[in-house]
PDB file of all heavy atoms in Angstrom:
ATOM      1  N   TYR A 211      12.212   1.998   5.398  1.00  0.00           N
ATOM      2  CA  TYR A 211      12.404   1.148   6.570  1.00  0.00           C
ATOM      3  C   TYR A 211      13.228  -0.090   6.230  1.00  0.00           C
ATOM      4  O   TYR A 211      14.076  -0.509   7.002  1.00  0.00           O
ATOM      5  CB  TYR A 211      11.042   0.715   7.131  1.00  0.00           C
ATOM      6  CG  TYR A 211      11.144  -0.152   8.351  1.00  0.00           C
ATOM      7  CD1 TYR A 211      11.364   0.414   9.603  1.00  0.00           C
ATOM      8  CD2 TYR A 211      11.043  -1.529   8.260  1.00  0.00           C
ATOM      9  CE1 TYR A 211      11.469  -0.381  10.737  1.00  0.00           C
ATOM     10  CE2 TYR A 211      11.142  -2.329   9.390  1.00  0.00           C
ATOM     11  CZ  TYR A 211      11.357  -1.746  10.614  1.00  0.00           C
ATOM     12  OH  TYR A 211      11.457  -2.546  11.722  1.00  0.00           O
ATOM     13  N   GLN A 212      12.969  -0.648   5.076  1.00  0.00           N
ATOM     14  CA  GLN A 212      13.600  -1.901   4.667  1.00  0.00           C
ATOM     15  C   GLN A 212      14.298  -1.686   3.327  1.00  0.00           C
ATOM     16  O   GLN A 212      13.785  -2.059   2.286  1.00  0.00           O
ATOM     17  CB  GLN A 212      12.545  -2.997   4.536  1.00  0.00           C
ATOM     18  CG  GLN A 212      13.111  -4.332   4.162  1.00  0.00           C
ATOM     19  CD  GLN A 212      12.019  -5.348   3.866  1.00  0.00           C
ATOM     20  OE1 GLN A 212      10.937  -5.007   3.428  1.00  0.00           O
ATOM     21  NE2 GLN A 212      12.322  -6.599   4.071  1.00  0.00           N
ATOM     22  N   PRO A 213      15.486  -1.054   3.344  1.00  0.00           N
ATOM     23  CA  PRO A 213      16.193  -0.848   2.084  1.00  0.00           C
ATOM     24  C   PRO A 213      16.483  -2.179   1.395  1.00  0.00           C
ATOM     25  O   PRO A 213      16.786  -3.167   2.055  1.00  0.00           O
ATOM     26  CB  PRO A 213      17.497  -0.162   2.487  1.00  0.00           C
ATOM     27  CG  PRO A 213      17.359   0.180   3.920  1.00  0.00           C
ATOM     28  CD  PRO A 213      16.229  -0.602   4.487  1.00  0.00           C
ATOM     29  N   ARG A 214      16.350  -2.183   0.102  1.00  0.00           N
ATOM     30  CA  ARG A 214      16.575  -3.426  -0.646  1.00  0.00           C
ATOM     31  C   ARG A 214      18.054  -3.763  -0.692  1.00  0.00           C
ATOM     32  O   ARG A 214      18.893  -2.904  -0.865  1.00  0.00           O
ATOM     33  CB  ARG A 214      16.063  -3.281  -2.075  1.00  0.00           C
ATOM     34  CG  ARG A 214      14.582  -3.188  -2.125  1.00  0.00           C
ATOM     35  CD  ARG A 214      14.122  -3.137  -3.535  1.00  0.00           C
ATOM     36  NE  ARG A 214      12.679  -2.977  -3.526  1.00  0.00           N
ATOM     37  CZ  ARG A 214      11.906  -3.428  -4.473  1.00  0.00           C
ATOM     38  NH1 ARG A 214      12.397  -4.039  -5.500  1.00  0.00           N
ATOM     39  NH2 ARG A 214      10.615  -3.238  -4.407  1.00  0.00           N
ATOM     40  N   SER A 215      18.323  -5.007  -0.515  1.00  0.00           N
ATOM     41  CA  SER A 215      19.682  -5.503  -0.703  1.00  0.00           C
ATOM     42  C   SER A 215      19.573  -6.791  -1.506  1.00  0.00           C
ATOM     43  O   SER A 215      18.482  -7.306  -1.714  1.00  0.00           O
ATOM     44  CB  SER A 215      20.360  -5.749   0.646  1.00  0.00           C
ATOM     45  OG  SER A 215      19.804  -6.884   1.261  1.00  0.00           O
ATOM     46  N   LYS A 216      20.694  -7.295  -1.909  1.00  0.00           N
ATOM     47  CA  LYS A 216      20.684  -8.509  -2.729  1.00  0.00           C
ATOM     48  C   LYS A 216      20.190  -9.720  -1.943  1.00  0.00           C
ATOM     49  O   LYS A 216      19.703 -10.675  -2.508  1.00  0.00           O
ATOM     50  CB  LYS A 216      22.084  -8.770  -3.281  1.00  0.00           C
ATOM     51  CG  LYS A 216      22.510  -7.741  -4.289  1.00  0.00           C
ATOM     52  CD  LYS A 216      23.897  -8.021  -4.803  1.00  0.00           C
ATOM     53  CE  LYS A 216      24.309  -6.939  -5.786  1.00  0.00           C
ATOM     54  NZ  LYS A 216      25.642  -7.127  -6.283  1.00  0.00           N
ATOM     55  N   THR A 217      20.305  -9.667  -0.628  1.00  0.00           N
ATOM     56  CA  THR A 217      19.934 -10.829   0.176  1.00  0.00           C
ATOM     57  C   THR A 217      18.560 -10.703   0.834  1.00  0.00           C
ATOM     58  O   THR A 217      18.006 -11.693   1.254  1.00  0.00           O
ATOM     59  CB  THR A 217      20.976 -11.074   1.287  1.00  0.00           C
ATOM     60  OG1 THR A 217      21.049  -9.908   2.105  1.00  0.00           O
ATOM     61  CG2 THR A 217      22.328 -11.391   0.694  1.00  0.00           C
ATOM     62  N   SER A 218      18.007  -9.479   0.918  1.00  0.00           N
ATOM     63  CA  SER A 218      16.734  -9.329   1.623  1.00  0.00           C
ATOM     64  C   SER A 218      15.552  -9.549   0.688  1.00  0.00           C
ATOM     65  O   SER A 218      15.591  -9.198  -0.485  1.00  0.00           O
ATOM     66  CB  SER A 218      16.624  -7.953   2.274  1.00  0.00           C
ATOM     67  OG  SER A 218      16.490  -6.966   1.288  1.00  0.00           O
ATOM     68  N   GLN A 219      14.529 -10.115   1.224  1.00  0.00           N
ATOM     69  CA  GLN A 219      13.285 -10.363   0.501  1.00  0.00           C
ATOM     70  C   GLN A 219      12.371  -9.162   0.731  1.00  0.00           C
ATOM     71  O   GLN A 219      11.990  -8.883   1.857  1.00  0.00           O
ATOM     72  CB  GLN A 219      12.622 -11.637   1.043  1.00  0.00           C
ATOM     73  CG  GLN A 219      11.333 -11.998   0.366  1.00  0.00           C
ATOM     74  CD  GLN A 219      11.563 -12.924  -0.803  1.00  0.00           C
ATOM     75  OE1 GLN A 219      12.672 -13.349  -1.059  1.00  0.00           O
ATOM     76  NE2 GLN A 219      10.512 -13.229  -1.512  1.00  0.00           N
ATOM     77  N   PRO A 220      11.991  -8.403  -0.327  1.00  0.00           N
ATOM     78  CA  PRO A 220      11.132  -7.244  -0.102  1.00  0.00           C
ATOM     79  C   PRO A 220       9.718  -7.674   0.300  1.00  0.00           C
ATOM     80  O   PRO A 220       9.260  -8.747  -0.067  1.00  0.00           O
ATOM     81  CB  PRO A 220      11.121  -6.537  -1.461  1.00  0.00           C
ATOM     82  CG  PRO A 220      11.490  -7.577  -2.453  1.00  0.00           C
ATOM     83  CD  PRO A 220      12.356  -8.571  -1.717  1.00  0.00           C
ATOM     84  N   LEU A 221       9.070  -6.837   1.091  1.00  0.00           N
ATOM     85  CA  LEU A 221       7.688  -7.089   1.475  1.00  0.00           C
ATOM     86  C   LEU A 221       6.774  -6.931   0.271  1.00  0.00           C
ATOM     87  O   LEU A 221       7.117  -6.262  -0.698  1.00  0.00           O
ATOM     88  CB  LEU A 221       7.245  -6.087   2.546  1.00  0.00           C
ATOM     89  CG  LEU A 221       7.854  -6.246   3.915  1.00  0.00           C
ATOM     90  CD1 LEU A 221       7.467  -5.064   4.784  1.00  0.00           C
ATOM     91  CD2 LEU A 221       7.372  -7.525   4.552  1.00  0.00           C
ATOM     92  N   GLU A 222       5.576  -7.522   0.362  1.00  0.00           N
ATOM     93  CA  GLU A 222       4.573  -7.295  -0.670  1.00  0.00           C
ATOM     94  C   GLU A 222       4.168  -5.827  -0.644  1.00  0.00           C
ATOM     95  O   GLU A 222       4.170  -5.198   0.411  1.00  0.00           O
ATOM     96  CB  GLU A 222       3.324  -8.127  -0.383  1.00  0.00           C
ATOM     97  CG  GLU A 222       3.485  -9.593  -0.579  1.00  0.00           C
ATOM     98  CD  GLU A 222       2.157 -10.317  -0.373  1.00  0.00           C
ATOM     99  OE1 GLU A 222       1.123  -9.846  -0.874  1.00  0.00           O
ATOM    100  OE2 GLU A 222       2.171 -11.357   0.291  1.00  0.00           O
TER     101      GLU A 222
END
Side-chain angles (χ1 to χ4, degrees):
Y211 181 81
Q212 182 187 29
R214 291 184 183 209
S215 72
K216 292 180 182 178
T217 59
S218 69
Q219 180 91 4
L221 290 172
E222 289 184 44

